[in-house]
């Protein structure tokens, strides 16, 4: 259950100083996430948010999708929780809108926006977590965004492949976890967060 997952994260050997780490959690809201995909991913993101809030670790939550043609077909990245916001009931209500899916997955734009959010961070370790079940359809721009992140920033980027067939993240991201069955997403995200907090060097993707 949720409490067991939270307990698992809280069992870190050493709680980092608030200034040591900051996260941007960016969620794929494309149409292919419909059903259990977005439900379990949202559940995992909520759990991580509650734990990070309790630990006093700065984080923000974004969602990314392409709007349908009736809305211009534009790529969208929305901020559902800012890094300086506490997890109030109003913010929790705003995060519920992550369940309202769009069409495509503009992952490159999500990475660009995450880099902007972290550009003013004073944290020692800055992590972008991209939670996605796709990306290959716009692989060239995604690869360019990842390469630019590694080359031009001190931000670390981790791809999380949602769904048991999502293996492409191992090729598209310098650090990744692939092929996560949707029902296991909350627990896997809990383990990932705990490991990053305890062993940030394992996930360093910049020079």
């Amino acid at each position: 259950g949720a409490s067991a997952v939270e307990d698992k994260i809280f069992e870190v050997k050493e709680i980092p100083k608030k200034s040591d780490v900051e996260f941007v959690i960016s969620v794929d809201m494309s149409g292919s996430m419909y059903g259990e995909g977005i439900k379990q991913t949202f559940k995992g993101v909520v759990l991580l948010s509650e734990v990070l809030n309790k630990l006093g670790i700065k984080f923000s939550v974004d969602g990314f999708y392409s709007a349908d043609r009736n809305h211009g077909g534009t790529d969208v990245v929305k901020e559902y929780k800012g890094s300086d916001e506490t997890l109030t009931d109003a913010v929790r209500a705003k995060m519920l809108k992550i369940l309202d899916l769009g069409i495509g997955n503009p992952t490159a734009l999500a990475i660009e926006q995450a880099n902007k959010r972290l550009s003013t961070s004073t944290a020692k370790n800055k992590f972008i977590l991209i939670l996605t079940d796709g990306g290959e359809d716009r692989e060239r721009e995604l690869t360019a965004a990842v390469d630019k992140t590694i080359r031009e920033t001190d931000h670390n980027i981790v791809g999380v492949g949602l769904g048991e067939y999502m293996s492409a993240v191992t090729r598209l991201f310098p650090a990744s976890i692939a092929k996560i069955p949707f029902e296991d997403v909350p627990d896997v995200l809990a383990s990932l967060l705990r490991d990053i907090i305890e062993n940030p060097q394992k996930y360093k993707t910049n020079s």
Side-chain angles (χ1 to χ4, degrees), residues 133-152:
D133 73 340
E136 308 99 302
D137 56 330
R138 298 172 69 169
E139 184 171 331
R140 182 175 295 181
E141 62 182 277
L142 170 54
T143 300
V146 171
D147 289 346
K148 185 175 181 181
T149 301
I150 295 169
R151 189 175 63 251
E152 298 183 7

Side-chain angles (χ1 to χ4, degrees), residues 108-144:
L109 183 61
I111 294 169
E112 179 184 323
Q113 291 299 317
N115 283 326
K116 286 181 181 177
R117 300 202 197 292
L118 289 175
S119 63
T120 57
S121 172
T122 58
K124 179 180 177 182
N125 298 303
K126 307 166 193 175
F127 287 95
I128 301 168
L129 304 184
I130 300 291
L131 315 184
T132 182
D133 73 340
E136 308 99 302
D137 56 330
R138 298 172 69 169
E139 184 171 331
R140 182 175 295 181
E141 62 182 277
L142 170 54
T143 300

Side-chain angles (χ1 to χ4, degrees), residues 12-150:
V12 292
K13 296 172 186 173
E14 182 179 348
I15 301 299
K17 295 178 182 178
K18 292 183 182 180
S19 60
D20 281 350
V21 62
E22 182 170 338
F23 290 91
V24 175
I25 302 168
S26 199
V27 183
D28 182 346
M29 294 169 58
S30 62
S32 60
M33 291 283 288
Y34 180 79
E36 280 304 297
I38 194 61
K39 287 179 183 176
Q40 294 299 325
T41 301
F42 178 72
K43 180 179 176 182
V45 169
V46 168
L47 285 168
L48 297 193
S49 298
E50 296 290 348
V51 171
L52 288 168
N53 190 61
K54 289 177 184 177
L55 292 176
I57 294 174
K58 292 186 74 172
F59 72 102
S60 56
V61 178
D62 289 348
F64 59 96
Y65 60 92
S66 297
D68 62 41
R69 288 180 185 147
N70 293 330
H71 294 85
T74 54
D75 293 338
V76 178
V77 177
K78 285 191 176 180
E79 182 182 78
Y80 294 97
K81 183 206 169 289
S83 60
D84 292 321
E85 288 183 298
T86 54
L87 203 57
T88 62
D89 287 342
V91 171
R92 291 184 181 94
K94 188 163 62 170
M95 287 174 61
L96 275 170
K97 295 182 180 178
I98 290 173
L99 295 167
D100 298 334
L101 301 179
I103 307 296
N105 50 349
T107 317
L109 183 61
I111 294 169
E112 179 184 323
Q113 291 299 317
N115 283 326
K116 286 181 181 177
R117 300 202 197 292
L118 289 175
S119 63
T120 57
S121 172
T122 58
K124 179 180 177 182
N125 298 303
K126 307 166 193 175
F127 287 95
I128 301 168
L129 304 184
I130 300 291
L131 315 184
T132 182
D133 73 340
E136 308 99 302
D137 56 330
R138 298 172 69 169
E139 184 171 331
R140 182 175 295 181
E141 62 182 277
L142 170 54
T143 300
V146 171
D147 289 346
K148 185 175 181 181
T149 301
I150 295 169

